[in-house]
Amino acid sequence: MENNNNAGDTLNPPGGAAAQANTLSPTRHGQAEEEHKKEEAAASTPPSLEKLAQEIDQFARRLRTDGNANNFEIPDFTERYLDLVEEKIMKYDAGEGKPRWGEVSEEDSWLLNNANRFSKLMTLVTGNYRDHEPEKISGAQVSMMNRISSIHQRLMTYLEEDFRFLMEETRIPTELDPGGYNQNSFDTKGKQHMAAFEQQEVAQEQDGFEQDTNFPGYSEETMAGLSKIASEMLFGGYESECCQVYIISRRSAFEEINQKLGLEKISIDEMVTKMQWETMARDMIPAWINTLKQYAAVYFPGERKLTETVFTNNHAVAVGLFSSLSRGVVIQLLNFAEGAAMTKRAGEKLFKLLDMYEGLYEVIPSVARLFPEESSEEIKTEMNHARSRLGEASIHIFCDLENQIKSETAKSAVPGGAVHPLTRYIMNYLNIAGDYKKTLEQVFMEHTKRDRAGSTSKNAEQKNEETPSPFAKQALRVMDLLDSSLEGKARLYKEVALSNFFMMNNGRYMLQKIKSSSEMSKVMGDNWIRKKSSELRNYHKNYQRETWNRVLQCLSHEGLAVNGKVHKPVLKERFKSFNSLFDDILKTQSSWVVKDEQLQSELRVSISAVIIPAYRSFVARFAQTFDPGRQTEKYIKYQAEDIETYIDELFEGKPHQSIGKRRT
């Protein structure tokens, strides 16, 4: 028993379990006191903004899950969170200022995160507020919700300022590199004078012309920042403010581009009533065409890419902004086209209007594709309408050639049977028109009603292929009217020879002008060319018959010999008649004018080929009939070489120098 007691004593000291507890309590009390101090310290230390932000996020998630619960309450820690955010905003407003976007990345992240957080709070809290009866919402809760709304608005204002800063102050100005673009490359002399300009355009495309513009002028980092800000502003219900800043900034950028490209902002009324066509043709229309093409190739695609990048999370907004901005530029360009088409019609305007027509025709498909489906057709319709107006004006101007021909009623003949100014004007006009053959055919086809019976049948198709196009018909009509006008003017000459010479001269000019243009040759057709060539041969024969057949009659051997003996008096008359006729021809026809060197040469060669051999033969046969000396010199006034020399001086428009003066 004692052993047991001893053991028990050892295991159970005096006081039992209670005593044992008392023995251990100092250690445990120390730990408890430590933990209590930590709790007191934690309670006395204000929670950080980051910690409260996490609490707010948890509250927002919980509210989204149980938003319609009857125990709707805003946690107490929310007020402390609002205090801290307001303190930061007050620091921004107190003079320190908020750093510009990109200067301090942590500040950018803080603004985005808190703007997002407040947007969520606004959505959730106001949503729950609407779901509860107003009398069950305390005044304190209403006050806090107003604070949330106020801070949210302030944060959005900062984002708007940053968005404006990035849009306006970080953009690299557009640097246009037209590669030697010269507005004077476009003139009323047609496309043949624009070849150098077109070669420059090709070189620009090959050398990366589009990249040289720096458009739209934002770095990838800037566009990423714009996209983040836009996303938060749209999420927070500030779509209108964000879009307004974007539109104002981009419109300013477009105005800058227009100014650098030389596109003036001018109303249709000013174009029609005040602008000088020379100024429009020299400066404004070339600038318009260049601007149109660059917008289609560079600026519209670049603007669409920019809107899609900045508003990547809201396709509808991106599409709407691009459509609004680009449509404004399109309307400005189309108004210019409408104004040009409405100006007073004159012949010199045709080719500038056709340049504009071609420019529109080329870009309509690419521009329309950039717009959303719902507005693409509308844009295409408006652009085609402007193109149609240019086409109509072009047709009226071209058809007015008829009136210009009919109104030319001069009663005085052109000196020397030269090419008439009307012929030069009309043919040069048609020659340039050949450069626009494809466009003119398209314009006439679109605006001219053609009789088409059974268009689906093969016979009708074959007939259409053989029938001249509306443009070709009009060109042929112009040529017929010109022929008729020239025939009337040829009758003003008293000499039949000169009348035929005039028709030959003008006809040759017409034929050569048509042949020099491969396109106009196709328009006029082989039949017209063959017919005109045949007419020229007839005029040539008539001229030669009226002028030189009488000369040849003087050199005829018939009637000079009677019973094998030369009848000297008759021979003398023959030489006298020849000399007189040849002198008259030299006197008159040396002042006749043939500017076409080939025709001039052909005429001289054909005359010499007939006259020189006949004269040589006549002189060789009958010269010995005269007594040597004065008698021979009296009747044989010209040597064959003299005649050849004088013939080679015909048709230069210069007075004839007599042989006496020549020999002196």
Side-chain angles (χ1 to χ4, degrees):
M1 290 295 294
E2 290 181 2
N3 291 339
N4 289 339
N5 288 335
N6 291 338
D9 291 340
T10 304
L11 294 173
N12 297 299
Q20 185 179 7
N22 290 332
T23 304
L24 297 173
S25 62
T27 303
R28 289 182 176 177
H29 278 299
Q31 291 175 345
E33 288 176 5
E34 233 178 274
E35 290 175 2
H36 182 67
K37 288 179 181 179
K38 286 181 180 180
E39 289 175 0
E40 287 181 345
S44 62
T45 302
S48 67
L49 185 56
E50 290 75 13
K51 177 65 175 175
L52 288 172
Q54 293 174 7
E55 296 286 347
I56 291 292
D57 291 340
Q58 291 175 8
F59 165 67
R61 285 193 293 270
R62 186 169 64 253
L63 197 57
R64 280 200 303 272
T65 305
D66 194 23
N68 294 321
N70 292 326
N71 57 346
F72 167 68
E73 291 183 2
I74 298 177
D76 294 337
F77 60 78
T78 303
E79 189 167 353
R80 179 56 183 159
Y81 170 68
L82 299 183
D83 290 341
L84 292 176
V85 174
E86 283 182 330
E87 285 179 14
K88 183 138 188 169
I89 290 175
M90 289 175 65
K91 287 181 180 179
Y92 286 163
D93 295 341
E96 297 180 17
K98 176 192 167 299
R100 283 185 167 183
W101 184 275
E103 291 180 349
V104 183
S105 59
E106 293 79 4
E107 294 291 333
D108 298 339
S109 298
W110 180 89
L111 179 59
L112 287 173
N113 293 335
N114 281 278
N116 179 271
R117 188 170 292 115
F118 270 85
S119 295
K120 291 176 181 177
L121 280 175
M122 284 292 297
T123 302
L124 296 171
V125 171
T126 55
N128 276 277
Y129 179 82
R130 288 193 301 269
D131 292 337
H132 290 75
E133 297 176 9
E135 60 271 13
K136 293 184 179 181
I137 305 298
S138 67
Q141 289 175 321
V142 172
S143 175
M144 188 170 291
M145 284 187 288
N146 288 337
R147 285 186 70 195
I148 292 173
S149 176
S150 176
I151 295 172
H152 179 250
Q153 182 180 7
R154 197 72 187 92
L155 293 173
M156 286 297 162
T157 300
Y158 284 133
L159 285 178
E160 182 179 340
E161 291 172 356
D162 283 338
F163 193 75
R164 182 180 290 106
F165 165 72
L166 291 177
M167 289 295 302
E168 296 180 356
E169 298 189 35
T170 66
R171 179 173 64 87
I172 303 172
T174 300
E175 295 180 5
L176 302 178
D177 180 18
Y181 163 70
N182 179 4
Q183 293 176 341
N184 293 324
S185 297
F186 292 87
D187 55 34
T188 55
K189 295 181 180 179
K191 293 183 179 177
Q192 56 208 5
H193 297 280
M194 301 193 310
F197 177 79
E198 291 171 351
Q199 290 174 0
Q200 290 170 359
E201 285 190 319
V202 172
Q204 291 161 9
E205 293 173 2
Q206 293 173 345
D207 294 340
F209 171 69
E210 296 181 17
Q211 284 74 12
D212 292 340
T213 63
N214 291 326
F215 187 82
Y218 299 104
S219 66
E220 291 185 6
E221 183 180 0
T222 297
M223 288 195 287
L226 287 168
S227 179
K228 292 175 182 177
I229 295 173
S231 294
E232 292 304 333
M233 290 188 72
L234 267 61
F235 178 68
Y238 280 69
E239 176 182 325
S240 176
E241 290 79 358
C242 182
C243 292
Q244 185 177 15
V245 172
Y246 186 90
I247 287 174
I248 292 173
S249 175
R250 298 312 298 156
R251 279 180 180 165
S252 176
F254 281 156
E255 288 174 2
E256 176 188 314
I257 290 169
N258 293 344
Q259 184 178 9
K260 289 185 177 180
L261 288 172
L263 182 68
E264 297 183 28
K265 206 167 188 178
I266 182 170
S267 68
I268 294 177
D269 182 64
E270 287 177 310
M271 291 181 66
V272 174
T273 60
K274 297 180 180 180
M275 288 300 302
Q276 294 292 323
W277 176 256
E278 291 75 13
T279 302
M280 290 180 62
R282 183 185 64 250
D283 302 324
M284 300 177 71
I285 291 178
W288 181 88
I289 295 171
N290 186 43
T291 302
L292 177 71
K293 291 183 176 180
Q294 291 210 42
Y295 266 107
V298 181
Y299 302 123
F300 285 157
E303 188 62 30
R304 175 170 168 171
K305 183 178 180 181
L306 179 63
T307 55
E308 290 175 346
T309 301
V310 174
F311 298 92
T312 186
N313 294 325
N314 197 316
H315 179 70
V317 172
V319 168
L321 286 171
F322 169 76
S323 298
S324 175
L325 288 165
S326 300
R327 179 179 170 77
V329 177
V330 169
I331 294 303
Q332 182 181 349
L333 290 167
L334 296 185
N335 283 343
F336 184 92
E338 291 270 358
M342 292 171 63
T343 58
K344 185 178 180 181
R345 287 162 186 163
E348 68 271 14
K349 298 182 180 182
L350 174 63
F351 304 113
K352 286 297 183 183
L353 295 181
L354 289 176
D355 286 335
M356 297 177 70
Y357 179 97
E358 289 179 344
L360 272 175
Y361 183 80
E362 290 173 11
V363 305
I364 286 174
S366 59
V367 171
R369 280 196 299 269
L370 293 170
F371 284 81
E373 186 176 352
E374 57 270 18
S375 59
S376 176
E377 284 302 318
E378 183 182 354
I379 287 291
K380 191 185 297 184
T381 298
E382 291 178 351
M383 295 182 78
N384 277 321
H385 175 74
R387 180 174 63 91
S388 179
R389 293 295 301 274
L390 291 168
E392 289 173 358
S394 299
I395 284 179
H396 285 294
I397 292 173
F398 189 84
C399 291
D400 194 55
L401 287 176
E402 293 184 24
N403 294 328
Q404 293 186 53
I405 294 171
K406 293 174 182 177
S407 63
E408 215 298 314
T409 56
K411 298 300 181 182
S412 58
V414 176
V419 176
H420 198 282
L422 178 64
T423 305
R424 292 187 183 278
Y425 175 77
I426 296 297
M427 295 314 301
N428 283 325
Y429 205 90
L430 291 178
N431 189 265
I432 300 172
D435 294 333
Y436 295 85
K437 171 180 173 287
K438 184 177 179 180
T439 303
L440 282 166
E441 286 184 336
Q442 179 180 339
V443 168
F444 271 87
M445 189 69 71
E446 289 178 354
H447 297 275
T448 304
K449 293 181 178 179
R450 302 183 65 187
D451 294 330
R452 290 191 177 99
S455 59
T456 57
S457 67
K458 292 184 178 179
N459 291 335
E461 290 176 3
Q462 181 66 26
K463 184 177 180 181
N464 287 338
E465 288 177 4
E466 296 175 354
T467 302
S469 68
F471 167 59
K473 286 182 178 179
Q474 185 60 33
L476 287 166
R477 178 171 172 76
V478 168
M479 295 297 271
D480 288 342
L481 286 171
L482 180 59
D483 280 333
S484 298
S485 177
L486 291 174
E487 288 172 1
K489 299 179 189 311
R491 288 192 286 271
L492 296 174
Y493 296 102
K494 296 179 180 179
E495 299 178 53
V496 177
L498 183 54
S499 178
N500 281 277
F501 182 86
F502 171 79
M503 291 300 294
M504 175 181 58
N505 213 357
N506 282 265
R508 177 59 172 257
Y509 187 86
M510 294 165 66
L511 182 61
Q512 291 303 102
K513 280 293 181 181
I514 293 300
K515 284 185 173 181
S516 67
S517 169
S518 61
E519 297 300 329
M520 280 309 297
S521 295
K522 295 175 185 176
V523 171
M524 301 307 296
D526 293 337
N527 288 338
W528 183 90
I529 292 175
R530 283 193 295 268
K531 180 183 176 184
K532 182 59 65 177
S533 298
S534 177
E535 290 175 357
L536 291 180
R537 287 192 294 270
N538 288 332
Y539 290 132
H540 189 174
K541 289 177 183 178
N542 292 340
Y543 156 76
Q544 197 148 313
R545 182 180 63 249
E546 292 293 329
T547 300
W548 299 102
N549 276 9
R550 290 182 299 159
V551 175
L552 288 175
Q553 290 174 1
C554 297
L555 301 178
S556 173
H557 292 201
E558 294 182 7
L560 288 177
V562 180
N563 298 324
K565 186 177 180 181
V566 176
H567 197 256
K568 199 169 184 178
V570 176
L571 180 63
K572 289 179 180 180
E573 285 300 318
R574 291 283 185 87
F575 271 107
K576 286 172 64 177
S577 296
F578 174 87
N579 293 336
S580 176
L581 285 172
F582 192 71
D583 284 346
D584 288 343
I585 291 171
L586 292 180
K587 182 179 180 180
T588 57
Q589 296 194 17
S590 61
S591 62
W592 292 7
V593 181
V594 178
K595 292 295 185 182
D596 186 312
E597 293 183 359
Q598 185 178 351
L599 176 59
Q600 189 183 71
S601 176
E602 289 175 1
L603 282 169
R604 291 169 177 172
V605 169
S606 65
I607 294 168
S608 296
V610 173
I611 300 301
I612 301 301
Y615 188 75
R616 287 184 189 278
S617 173
F618 192 79
V619 171
R621 172 70 177 79
F622 299 108
Q624 66 272 19
T625 305
F626 299 114
D627 298 332
R630 292 182 60 188
Q631 192 177 50
T632 300
E633 292 178 1
K634 179 180 178 180
Y635 294 103
I636 305 177
K637 184 177 179 180
Y638 297 103
Q639 297 298 316
E641 292 76 13
D642 295 330
I643 293 175
E644 189 171 9
T645 298
Y646 285 128
I647 289 174
D648 285 343
E649 293 176 356
L650 293 175
F651 318 126
E652 291 187 352
K654 299 177 182 178
H656 169 63
Q657 186 178 3
S658 68
I659 190 168
K661 291 183 179 180
R662 175 76 60 84
R663 287 173 176 170
T664 301

